[in-house]
Amino acid sequence: MSDHFDLVIIGAGPGGYVAALHGAQLGGKVALIEKSHLGGACLNYGCIPSKALLASAELMHQLRSSGDLGVEVFGEVKADWEKIQSRKDRIIAGQRSGLNSLLLGRKVSVLKGVASLNGPGKIQLRCEDGSMREILAAYVIVAVGSSPARVPGWPADADRVCTSDEALHWRTLPRKLLVVGGGVIGCELACAFHPLGVQVTIVEMLPRLLPQMDGQISTTLEKIFAARGIRCLPGTRIETMQLTDRGVVATLSGGETVESDRVLVATGRRPATDNLGLESAGLALDRGFLRVNYKMETPVARHYCIGDANGRCLLAHAASAQGTVAAENALGHARTMEGPVPSCVYTFPEIGSVGMTTEEARAVGVPFFAGTFPLRFLGKSQAAGHAEGFVKVLKHRETGQLLGVHMLGHNATECIAVAGAMLHQQVSVEEVAGVIFAHPTMSEGIKEACEDALHAAIHAPPRKIQRMAATV
Amino acid sequence: MLTLNSPPWDRPATIRRWLKKPGDRLVEGEVLFEAETEDALIEVVAAKAGVLREILVPEKTTFAGNLPVARMDLTGDNSQKSKTEAKRPVPSGGVIPVLMPQAGQSMEEGTIVKWRVTEGARIKKGQPIFDIETDKAVVEIEATHDGRLARIVVPEGGSVAVKKPVAYLAEYDAEVDAYGATPIPSDGGETDPAPERSSDPTAFSPSIPTSPMGGRNKISPAARRLAEERGIDLNCLESGNGPGGRILSTDLVGAPSRKKLTRMRKAIASALQGSKQTIPHFYVRMTLDAGPAMAFYKEQKRQFPCSINDVVTAACARCLADFPAFRSRLEKDEIIESPRVNIGIAVSVEEGLVVPVLLDAGRLTLAEIAAQTRRVVDEARKGRLEGAGKAVFTITNLGMFGVEEFAAIINPPEAAILAVGAARESVLVKDGVIRAGRVMTVTLSCDHRVIDGYLAAMFLARLKERLEKPEDWLHPGRINH
């Protein structure tokens, strides 16, 4: 096999493998280097395993109220953690092998080993058998992703003070779990473990859970969690964290101490850009990230960076979109990254969000109006037994343009796709109101919220109108 | 007339729609307009009964509140007024035309950029009623009579010759019809950028579109806004890349933009076309050693701000004093020679080109030339032109952009213009010896009816001599004539 390639991609996550497949589609000779498993954090330590666990957890959660739907379950309903884990492992293995076939089918050379740059376009590969190999690339795409951040100074016992990497593959469940960080990962895993009988406390330093989401979404989710028995402590810091014979003891900023069997540290993710020899190619890091422009170009010609490692947007689908952009630019098709990136949280109820949040719009000073619609007014939400949640849309008050859509509710992660498409086309809320949505669906909430932004929601009582006098 | 103030809402609000229009009767407590904040709909009602005269804040405008939003007459006032008016003798026919004024000698037509009052409004003598744009500035025009503005015949953006009616004052619309007043389309009658907000009552219909799918090209709100900002004519775009040909903001990259000539552009167009078509131009070019002038101005710069252009201006002032033909202009069969060395400095401004004038440059020291040039150029950029039309000669310099040389068109009624290129690095040959240095190419455009080639050559030779030895004649603090 020749060691010259048109395109060499370091990292086979959702950014890297998409770039490889697309590069091959465009006729390039492509190599994809991976030091561990195909699929990256998304398939092995993130999106997919967490969704597998959440599916079991959600079923458990629903069974608790199955009586409401007229289904009586007799005898003990028990979650078998071992079986849940092995199901998850099967799903991962299946996806990995599917991915491998896709790469084979497109004749992408998958190289196993640890890569580092040794000058521009030159890659040193330490293969799994310890041998070294040099690879020359006309174009390089760095797609090394990120890993969970750990808190320096906290106990290094990875069995008890863990990150999502370990938690998703625990062989046993803890009895009491302290989740540090109320972001997407913290909320999803809290939501996954709680129905399986784990007592969960979430501590978030910022004043609300999911700080990046629209504030109304955060506060509503917090209420839902609290009602369910998940203890939420936003605006709280962890002062100390110690291992004792009874478990892990954390002292909170309020002075309270929280005892737990295990701690899940979900305070964020750090780019995995260490030891890549980037400086040999003239590439410099900025707080660990390898910064790029809208074409995914680094400052050094013929070198691109996509996904978590460039710090633009730490989401799998953003990485995939960037992978396509980088592969096209490398292979001579000018492309830039465009359009809004939706973000989803797979708690139950789910959250889908795309475009500006209320907080962002206020910060930028855009004159907006927020239309909202409670999902309980929809026939579908009642029939499906998922009445909680709402849709909120932001409208530009002067132009009528749709600025953002935020949904908390059953199937919100699916419904948000339509909102993303509409934002991509820069439509006005009037135009959304003119689209025919299928009935009965949860997505009707998006149309109704847009109508509310026009003060004309059909299935909601009329808005209260304030009256003021213009004085002479 | 009374001013209606919006309520003092706590957060900025946007007027969603006006439910009343000028001329409408207001009943106390009736909704005037609807406003939106981030999460509330506010109906604003009139605190007093009367007649709405003028809307000051249009729809889709965001503001902080507690702002005058409209003008109205109280019902009582109105009846009183009509009583006194009834006593006053009505002028013949009852119609008074409002004319486009002549704001400046050279003004032949004016463009209305803004109407400050709407049809139906009652205006008072001395009240600013519209703004016109001339080739030099935007001027506010005041009413010359009291009365009711019955009809506007020249809309915003429209142009009309001076002393022609732009509107009519009359108590009754029918009187205007009888007077034979018809609205004229703005400028040429074609491709009039349609006014966005019509006074058509259907503009106040509910905001949900009845048929969002049908009709003409669909345009995203972002694209519409961008097009407005950049003056892009959306009619030029057949369709965009959105679904069903929807025009998106990204489609506007590279779209042709169509803008009406501003008054300034029109003035430039007609003056320069006239010049090039009537004046027999000829051009004389010379390249000089710019090193000494560069060194000289840099030395002077330690004491006062000055540029190489100021040294060129000083040298020209001196040469203009030497050669009267360059201070002359042709008028019918006479040559009129100006005793004063007034030098025009071509300045590019946002909308085009203006030529402020350095009066009596022959009587100024280098320091004064530098300071005055700076001042008149700054003023010109702010829209105030000094000494307009008084120049005898113009200097135009594109050297700062690296232009090596160019030929300019004479700015009538002047007899010549000097185009100055960059002081660029080059090889100089003197007495068979090559050395590196800086050269500058200047091009003199002359009116052959007044100046001959020999004279032009003499002028340039003298200019070169002065610029190559500035220390011989130019004393920064002293007048050099």
Side-chain angles (χ1 to χ4, degrees):
Chain A
M1 189 172 21
S2 152
D3 283 351
H4 288 258
F5 292 93
D6 297 328
L7 190 56
V8 174
I9 298 147
I10 307 174
Y17 83 72
V18 167
L21 289 171
H22 194 56
Q25 279 175 340
L26 295 172
K29 188 183 167 201
V30 183
L32 179 63
I33 301 177
E34 174 56 52
K35 64 179 175 187
S36 167
H37 297 293
L38 291 179
C42 165
L43 176 52
N44 300 290
Y45 300 97
C47 315
I48 304 301
S50 62
K51 259 76 284 169
L53 302 187
L54 277 159
S56 304
E58 187 168 11
L59 185 56
M60 280 300 286
H61 174 70
Q62 284 175 5
L63 283 172
R64 280 186 196 170
S65 51
S66 70
D68 297 350
L69 275 76
V71 176
E72 297 294 343
V73 178
F74 296 100
E76 194 192 356
V77 177
K78 204 177 125 220
D80 184 333
W81 179 244
E82 243 172 76
K83 280 189 179 160
I84 292 173
Q85 277 290 331
S86 57
R87 170 178 177 270
K88 174 215 72 188
D89 291 338
R90 276 198 310 280
I91 293 166
I92 294 176
Q95 291 292 108
R96 276 183 202 150
S97 88
L99 188 48
N100 197 38
S101 326
L102 280 176
L103 292 162
L104 274 176
R106 293 267 175 212
K107 299 198 166 48
V108 172
S109 304
V110 177
L111 309 177
K112 286 292 182 71
V114 180
S116 64
L117 284 169
N118 184 21
K122 265 189 216 163
I123 293 142
Q124 288 277 345
L125 180 67
R126 185 201 307 274
C127 302
E128 281 173 328
D129 61 8
S131 65
M132 298 297 287
R133 183 174 162 189
E134 190 172 81
I135 296 162
L136 298 177
Y139 295 90
V140 177
I141 298 179
V142 177
V144 293
S146 63
S147 51
R150 291 177 195 270
V151 180
W154 284 6
D157 178 356
D159 289 338
R160 286 193 283 176
V161 180
C162 319
T163 68
S164 55
D165 279 3
E166 294 90 31
L168 289 165
H169 303 290
W170 275 336
R171 303 320 316 177
T172 59
L173 279 175
R175 205 169 46 80
K176 278 180 165 182
L177 173 66
L178 172 64
V179 177
V180 182
V184 176
I185 297 169
C187 284
E188 283 188 7
L189 291 182
C191 200
F193 289 122
H194 179 261
L196 304 179
V198 180
Q199 244 181 289
V200 181
T201 303
I202 306 176
V203 172
E204 166 59 48
M205 196 168 73
L206 292 171
R208 56 187 173 91
L209 299 184
L210 300 174
Q212 309 302 322
M213 287 283 160
D214 193 276
Q216 203 177 334
I217 297 260
S218 297
T219 47
T220 311
L221 183 74
E222 195 184 311
K223 277 183 200 147
I224 291 172
F225 272 8
R228 204 177 280 176
I230 297 174
R231 195 169 175 223
C232 299
L233 301 171
T236 307
R237 269 201 323 274
I238 306 271
E239 299 292 357
T240 61
M241 175 85 68
Q242 279 164 334
L243 296 181
T244 66
D245 14 325
R246 282 172 306 170
V248 194
V249 178
T251 316
L252 309 184
S253 49
E256 188 190 340
T257 55
V258 177
E259 272 180 35
S260 54
D261 308 332
R262 286 181 218 161
V263 173
L264 168 63
V265 181
T267 51
R269 295 183 69 89
R270 290 183 40 76
T273 47
D274 295 339
N275 307 320
L276 276 174
L278 294 172
E279 59 291 342
S280 73
L283 290 163
L285 294 174
D286 170 23
R287 287 188 295 160
F289 294 107
L290 182 51
R291 304 287 182 189
V292 294
N293 60 15
Y294 276 96
K295 296 164 102 178
M296 304 301 131
E297 294 165 339
T298 64
V300 176
R302 295 162 175 262
H303 289 66
Y304 299 81
C305 181
I306 59 171
D308 292 1
N310 69 26
R312 280 186 168 262
C313 178
L314 277 70
L315 292 171
H317 45 280
S320 299
Q322 294 175 2
T324 312
V325 168
E328 296 214 356
N329 284 318
L331 298 172
H333 306 257
R335 265 283 294 274
T336 55
M337 181 81 180
E338 270 161 24
V341 181
S343 57
C344 293
V345 189
Y346 294 81
T347 45
F348 24 93
E350 292 183 339
I351 295 164
S353 165
V354 63
M356 273 191 179
T357 64
T358 306
E359 290 72 22
E360 285 165 349
R362 270 187 203 138
V364 182
V366 179
F368 70 90
F369 179 81
T372 54
F373 185 79
L375 292 171
R376 67 172 189 279
F377 292 159
L378 291 178
K380 176 65 188 283
S381 74
Q382 293 292 346
H386 294 287
E388 51 196 357
F390 63 92
V391 180
K392 180 178 192 180
V393 302
L394 303 193
K395 166 190 88 165
H396 194 295
R397 291 205 297 264
E398 291 171 2
T399 66
Q401 188 172 358
L402 180 66
L403 299 172
V405 180
H406 311 283
M407 180 171 182
L408 172 79
H410 181 57
N411 277 354
T413 62
E414 302 292 340
C415 296
I416 208 66
V418 68
M422 287 170 173
L423 275 182
H424 188 71
Q425 297 299 335
Q426 306 172 339
V427 302
S428 65
V429 288
E430 288 190 348
E431 285 165 307
V432 183
V435 172
I436 300 170
F437 282 66
H439 176 75
T441 55
M442 297 302 289
S443 355
E444 284 177 287
I446 294 176
K447 178 183 163 97
E448 295 273 355
C450 285
E451 287 170 351
D452 182 53
L454 300 165
H455 316 291
I458 298 289
H459 295 95
R463 267 182 173 268
K464 285 213 173 66
I465 299 173
Q466 290 181 36
R467 227 159 221 250
M468 290 179 147
T471 49
V472 172
Chain B
M1 194 127 55
L2 298 168
T3 304
L4 268 172
N5 288 311
S6 78
W9 37 62
D10 348 332
R11 282 178 297 175
T14 306
I15 295 191
R16 182 167 176 254
R17 57 179 174 145
W18 277 93
L19 291 112
K20 295 283 174 190
K21 57 183 190 300
D24 281 359
R25 201 153 278 284
L26 305 180
V27 177
E28 196 179 322
E30 224 182 2
V31 181
L32 279 173
F33 63 88
E34 292 172 358
E36 282 177 325
T37 63
E38 285 180 10
D39 49 14
L41 182 62
I42 305 170
E43 283 179 347
V44 176
V45 299
K48 291 208 166 131
V51 177
L52 184 69
R53 289 303 176 198
E54 188 190 353
I55 288 173
L56 300 172
V57 180
E59 291 179 1
K60 308 295 178 198
T61 309
T62 306
F63 60 103
N66 210 8
L67 190 86
V69 286
R71 286 193 225 278
M72 68 174 287
D73 284 324
L74 293 184
T75 319
D77 279 14
N78 202 35
S79 54
Q80 215 173 11
K81 198 174 273 177
S82 46
K83 246 185 263 164
T84 54
E85 271 164 7
K87 278 181 209 157
R88 206 192 298 153
V90 177
S92 62
V95 179
I96 306 170
V98 178
L99 303 179
M100 172 63 71
Q102 184 166 22
Q105 295 242 313
S106 63
M107 180 172 164
E108 285 167 4
E109 64 166 20
T111 304
I112 296 194
V113 289
K114 185 184 172 158
W115 273 101
R116 295 177 167 270
V117 288
T118 49
E119 282 187 356
R122 208 153 266 290
I123 59 173
K124 282 214 171 318
K125 188 175 169 179
Q127 175 192 347
I129 50 172
F130 59 92
D131 294 351
I132 60 165
E133 190 188 19
T134 69
D135 48 355
K136 296 187 184 84
V138 172
V139 185
E140 208 174 74
I141 305 301
E142 294 174 354
T144 50
H145 296 82
D146 292 352
R148 172 178 170 270
L149 188 79
R151 183 156 316 154
I152 290 173
V153 291
V154 180
E156 287 183 3
S159 304
V160 72
V162 296
K163 308 274 167 65
K164 291 282 181 217
V166 297
Y168 293 91
L169 302 184
E171 279 310 304
Y172 300 98
D173 292 348
E175 291 176 338
V176 188
D177 293 334
Y179 195 85
T182 45
I184 59 156
S186 60
D187 228 37
E190 46 179 15
T191 66
D192 174 27
E196 280 298 305
R197 287 176 197 108
S198 66
S199 54
D200 177 359
T202 56
F204 296 87
S205 61
S207 52
I208 296 188
T210 44
S211 157
M213 304 293 281
R216 25 178 266 117
N217 268 347
K218 284 182 291 174
I219 298 154
S220 83
R224 189 181 298 282
R225 187 169 234 211
L226 192 71
E228 273 170 21
E229 275 170 24
R230 303 211 182 141
I232 293 170
D233 180 1
L234 288 168
N235 294 322
C236 298
L237 288 169
E238 289 280 305
S239 64
N241 283 316
R246 180 188 188 79
I247 297 169
L248 310 180
S249 62
T250 42
D251 292 325
L252 300 186
V253 179
S257 78
R258 186 183 299 187
K259 282 182 194 164
K260 260 198 342 187
L261 277 188
T262 57
R263 292 289 304 171
M264 183 184 286
R265 228 29 280 165
K266 268 190 202 169
I268 293 169
S270 86
L272 293 185
Q273 183 172 348
S275 166
K276 195 76 191 202
Q277 282 174 347
T278 58
I279 300 176
H281 281 64
F282 75 96
Y283 310 93
V284 186
R285 184 164 300 138
M286 197 173 271
T287 297
L288 51 92
D289 180 358
M294 293 279 289
F296 189 81
Y297 102 79
K298 280 187 180 154
E299 179 64 31
Q300 302 312 320
K301 222 174 150 181
R302 295 178 183 182
Q303 286 135 49
F304 54 89
C306 105
S307 73
I308 188 150
N309 200 53
D310 297 327
V311 178
V312 173
T313 307
C316 284
R318 185 105 190 227
C319 295
L320 287 169
D322 297 347
F323 297 93
F326 286 82
R327 291 180 260 124
S328 301
R329 66 172 193 272
L330 192 72
E331 237 172 60
K332 288 184 185 153
D333 52 356
E334 288 176 327
I335 285 178
I336 298 158
E337 187 188 304
S338 162
R340 298 176 74 188
V341 177
N342 299 335
I343 299 181
I345 308 286
V347 177
S348 71
V349 292
E350 204 175 316
E351 285 181 18
L353 174 74
V354 290
V355 185
V357 177
L358 213 54
L359 293 172
D360 257 341
R363 290 176 190 274
L364 302 177
T365 64
L366 179 62
E368 286 166 345
I369 284 178
Q372 298 241 19
T373 302
R374 206 155 299 240
R375 187 177 57 78
V376 297
V377 169
D378 281 352
E379 291 292 302
R381 295 217 163 105
K382 286 181 204 151
R384 285 185 293 270
L385 205 55
E386 294 199 12
K390 289 185 181 161
V392 297
F393 180 85
T394 297
I395 298 174
T396 172
N397 189 338
L398 293 177
M400 55 291 234
F401 306 111
V403 168
E404 294 186 358
E405 55 174 74
F406 65 108
I409 298 176
I410 295 165
N411 184 24
E414 297 160 26
I417 183 166
L418 187 76
V420 183
R424 61 192 193 273
E425 286 198 302
S426 182
V427 173
L428 291 151
V429 185
K430 200 177 183 188
D431 304 328
V433 180
I434 294 177
R435 71 177 171 88
R438 280 181 183 272
V439 298
M440 177 193 272
T441 302
V442 293
T443 306
L444 191 62
S445 311
C446 305
D447 181 347
H448 217 323
R449 298 172 304 179
V450 185
I451 298 164
D452 294 326
Y454 166 77
L455 208 52
M458 294 291 289
F459 183 95
L460 275 193
R462 191 74 62 84
L463 188 71
K464 175 177 159 82
E465 193 183 303
R466 293 219 157 93
L467 285 175
E468 287 183 350
K469 286 192 174 157
E471 63 285 353
D472 281 7
W473 59 277
L474 189 55
H475 303 285
R478 235 168 58 204
I479 300 166
N480 302 289
H481 306 284

